[in-house]
Amino acid sequence: MGKFYTSFWNVNNLFDTLPSSLGSDIEFTPSRGWNNIVKNKKIENLAFTIDSLHNNEGPDLLGLCEVETETMLSELVDKLSPEKEYAIAEYLNGPDVRGIDTCLLYSKKKFSLNSLRGYSIKLRYPTRNVLVANFTLLENKADITVIVNHWPSRSGGRYETEPLRIAAAE
């Protein structure tokens, strides 16, 4: 199989600065210091780090989570090295009201996207979607399936949330 690099990153609340009905507006607001200057600096820092992964070659496949909107994802892609020719395979706008969503970027120079599907996980309440994408590696026509997920939070403590994480994995 041809060589390629893959990475996954929880970008930890890559939120816009626009008001919405709930979600990020609780703490990611200008009154709490979240403004365009801070947001843009976060995007620059993320792009710099992503480009420096894998000995400065950057990933060919990049799963991300905690991206609030596809617009935010596009802003990040615009700051990444143009050499990879990143495309957005999918941005799943899932049921999590805070905008804790999953997405997948791929290099059009390395991969052709064949199919993708989002799976809704419903436990006690709907949680983050799982994204499954199938690609063809252009170098040798091998198929590869990629799964991007973001399990339920451990915020309630291990004994409360561990069963939810296991159920989502199953």
Side-chain angles (χ1 to χ4, degrees):
M1 185 180 280
K3 179 175 124 179
F4 61 90
Y5 295 110
T6 183
S7 297
F8 174 81
W9 195 352
N10 178 335
V11 294
N12 207 6
N13 305 319
L14 182 55
F15 292 156
D16 64 27
T17 58
L18 304 172
S20 61
S21 60
L22 186 62
S24 63
D25 285 351
I26 296 168
E27 58 184 300
F28 289 90
T29 63
S31 65
R32 292 202 166 192
W34 189 250
N35 56 39
N36 282 326
I37 294 169
V38 176
K39 177 197 75 160
N40 291 338
K41 185 62 176 169
K42 179 171 185 152
I43 290 171
E44 286 176 26
N45 289 342
L46 289 170
F48 174 81
T49 303
I50 291 166
D51 284 340
S52 69
L53 294 172
H54 308 290
N55 297 317
N56 294 317
E57 291 191 41
D60 300 301
L61 290 168
L62 177 61
L64 297 168
C65 69
E66 296 199 13
V67 178
E68 185 181 28
T69 64
E70 191 166 355
T71 300
M72 292 303 301
L73 181 58
S74 294
E75 286 185 37
L76 175 61
V77 169
D78 288 345
K79 294 288 185 188
L80 293 171
S81 171
E83 292 176 19
K84 287 288 183 180
E85 295 181 23
Y86 283 114
I88 299 171
E90 181 74 6
Y91 172 84
L92 284 181
N93 191 5
D96 189 299
V97 296
R98 297 165 298 161
I100 307 292
D101 295 320
T102 57
C103 47
L104 179 62
L105 302 178
Y106 68 98
S107 171
K108 294 186 288 185
K109 292 170 78 172
K110 290 268 187 171
F111 293 97
S112 172
L113 177 63
N114 299 323
S115 65
L116 55 92
R117 181 170 177 205
Y119 292 88
S120 180
I121 307 295
K122 293 182 178 138
L123 303 171
R124 291 184 300 198
Y125 48 85
T127 188
R128 302 148 188 154
N129 288 335
V130 175
L131 174 63
V132 179
N134 180 268
F135 294 93
T136 297
L137 184 58
L138 298 176
E139 181 179 328
N140 62 7
K141 306 301 181 209
D143 280 344
I144 180 171
T145 298
V146 177
I147 300 171
V148 181
N149 57 56
H150 184 201
W151 302 132
S153 171
R154 288 189 172 130
S155 64
R158 178 177 178 201
Y159 296 107
E160 175 165 334
T161 60
E162 194 68 19
L164 298 174
R165 295 167 65 82
I166 291 169
E170 290 175 345

